[in-house]
Amino acid sequence: MKKIGLIGGTGPESTIMYYKNLNTQIDKITNGKEMPDLAIESVNFHKALNYVSSGQYKALTDYLAEKVNNLKTGGAEIISLTAGTMHIVYNELVKKTNISLISIPKVVCEEAVSKGYKKIGLLGTIFTMENDFMKNDFINSGIEIFVPNKEDREFIGKKIFEELELGIIKESTLNDFNSIISKIKNEHNIEAVVLGCTELPLLLNNDNCVLPCLDSVEIHIQKLIKLALGD
């Protein structure tokens, strides 16, 4: 089995999901014979987020590149970011490290294409919703992608950082998010919603969302498992 390397800590809650699910799912797939050889380079969340919010993309690229190279030096063969927002410098990071990172937007887009979706909504941090790095793969695949209006984007971003990043799950927040998703559906006739922040699956899933969810964490994990097992 190939060694998996993760850039974690952005934020801690989603990193825990990755670690736990990679172990439990590979254990199940191999009938209790294997668990992954797994390394995590955990970044300073506040430092990384400050680079994003202040537009210091070169500094962010350099910071993440250090983590990627540490994983490579440690023997990781499959390396990936664990946060949608950090993909804001994905292309620059790949160029700097010369390592093909397993892209969250790309694998989620592949899932959307396989399901035949033509119109989808995107939820995530304010940076994810207001920039194109999470949208480009979908657009290039002929899928229309829509985000909430400015007020709703700001509300979602606030809830992600003040609740979900801290592991706080509220029924009232779930109801508010479903109302926002319903609004996008009514306005644009979307067929599904991308959970573009890797903390969003803590709150939303196919059982409680008003539309089918493209869970970026689970889809990404399935890709990592497939590559690790050599399938």
Side-chain angles (χ1 to χ4, degrees):
M1 186 186 305
K2 294 179 180 178
K3 184 174 182 178
I4 299 171
L6 303 176
I7 309 297
T10 50
E13 292 295 328
S14 63
T15 305
I16 292 169
M17 281 193 285
Y18 272 90
Y19 180 78
K20 181 178 180 180
N21 291 340
L22 281 167
N23 275 280
T24 57
Q25 291 189 36
I26 289 177
D27 183 50
K28 183 177 180 180
I29 289 168
T30 62
N31 295 315
K33 296 178 181 178
E34 299 277 357
M35 282 191 179
D37 192 0
L38 174 62
I40 299 174
E41 277 280 320
S42 189
V43 307
N44 178 336
F45 173 75
H46 296 294
K47 181 177 181 179
L49 183 63
N50 180 64
Y51 284 148
V52 174
S53 59
S54 61
Q56 297 183 66
Y57 298 136
K58 183 181 183 303
L60 178 63
T61 302
D62 291 343
Y63 184 46
L64 295 177
E66 175 189 345
K67 305 299 182 182
V68 170
N69 287 326
N70 287 345
L71 289 169
K72 183 180 180 181
T73 300
E77 300 171 85
I78 300 163
I79 301 175
S80 182
L81 302 165
T82 61
T85 299
M86 294 300 115
H87 283 71
I88 199 166
V89 294
Y90 175 84
N91 291 332
E92 293 78 6
L93 187 57
V94 169
K95 289 177 184 177
K96 187 173 182 66
T97 61
N98 197 31
I99 293 173
S100 297
L101 306 174
I102 312 306
S103 162
I104 292 175
K106 181 179 179 180
V107 299
V108 176
C109 177
E110 289 171 353
E111 181 74 7
V113 170
S114 74
K115 291 183 177 297
Y117 293 137
K118 298 300 181 184
K119 292 186 176 184
I120 59 174
L122 170 64
L123 303 187
T125 64
I126 197 78
F127 312 106
T128 296
M129 291 184 288
E130 294 189 350
N131 287 279
D132 291 336
F133 61 89
M134 187 65 96
K135 304 170 188 173
N136 287 331
D137 286 300
F138 295 94
I139 294 169
N140 292 337
S141 296
I143 298 173
E144 293 184 75
I145 188 161
F146 302 90
V147 297
N149 62 39
K150 182 175 177 57
E151 181 181 355
D152 289 340
R153 292 197 301 270
E154 291 174 349
F155 175 82
I156 290 169
K158 179 181 175 68
K159 291 297 182 179
I160 287 173
F161 288 114
E162 294 184 0
E163 294 179 15
L164 300 184
E165 292 285 1
L166 303 176
I168 299 170
I169 311 301
K170 294 182 178 180
E171 187 73 21
S172 59
T173 301
L174 172 62
N175 293 336
D176 289 334
F177 276 40
N178 267 322
S179 294
I180 292 170
I181 294 167
S182 295
K183 191 185 301 183
I184 306 172
K185 180 180 184 296
N186 292 335
E187 292 177 353
H188 302 290
N189 199 30
I190 60 171
E191 305 158 276
V193 60
V194 174
L195 306 183
C197 168
T198 51
E199 267 72 38
L200 282 172
L202 294 169
L203 179 72
L204 286 161
N205 56 62
N206 284 322
D207 293 329
N208 65 16
C209 186
V210 294
L211 281 177
C213 294
L214 289 164
D215 181 338
S216 58
V217 175
E218 183 57 27
I219 295 168
H220 195 210
I221 284 174
Q222 290 305 313
K223 183 67 171 183
L224 294 174
I225 290 173
K226 182 176 181 180
L227 293 171
L229 294 176
D231 294 340

